[in-house]
Amino acid sequence: QVQLVESGGGLVQTGGSLRLSCVASGLTFDNYVMAWFRRAPGQERQFVSTISWSGKRILYAESVEGRFTISRDNAANTVYLQMNSLKPEDTAVYYCAASTDYGLAAHYPYWGQGTQVTVSS
């Protein structure tokens, strides 16, 4: 049974930082592309970032480029999202997801339960 468990969310002021973690189990982690998505209240789910199997290829949404950094530790079955210079519009539930494909069109069969990030103005 595949499980993705996010942590690290919370309440932070504008300009602050948070580091999200997602620990995977039930799959061979380095066989999977990992990604972060987010969903703000009343909005559709939005792609945030993805990292390839080895970590050599990375994509970011334009809205987070230069502020967020995705990374992974295959030995620890964990993917991270370092979020700096946070803005109120970053407020959302953040989800990690796993896929065997890389790219913006990848299909993600596995999802975590999400972690809330709230940025106060």
Side-chain angles (χ1 to χ4, degrees):
Q1 179 182 356
V2 175
Q3 281 193 310
L4 303 177
V5 180
E6 303 97 334
S7 62
L11 174 64
V12 65
Q13 291 186 334
T14 296
S17 298
L18 284 173
R19 188 194 197 202
L20 305 184
S21 300
C22 172
V23 179
S25 60
L27 50 74
T28 303
F29 188 71
D30 53 6
N31 285 351
Y32 283 83
V33 171
M34 300 301 295
W36 288 95
F37 290 79
R38 66 187 182 187
R39 177 174 282 163
Q43 297 187 21
E44 293 187 354
R45 187 174 63 203
Q46 177 187 32
F47 166 80
V48 174
S49 182
T50 186
I51 186 166
S52 65
W53 306 264
S54 64
K56 291 182 179 180
R57 289 186 287 171
I58 289 173
L59 292 171
Y60 293 103
E62 189 174 328
S63 59
V64 307
E65 181 89 52
R67 300 187 298 122
F68 291 9
T69 302
I70 192 171
S71 61
R72 65 188 294 162
D73 181 347
N74 286 349
N77 286 7
T78 302
V79 61
Y80 303 97
L81 186 69
Q82 177 67 43
M83 305 186 296
N84 298 330
S85 302
L86 283 161
K87 305 174 181 180
E89 51 263 44
D90 295 318
T91 295
V93 178
Y94 283 71
Y95 300 89
C96 72
S99 173
T100 54
D101 300 322
Y102 178 80
L104 297 178
H107 169 64
Y108 292 88
Y110 303 117
W111 293 84
Q113 82 289 348
T115 186
Q116 176 71 47
V117 171
T118 303
V119 185
S120 64
S121 57

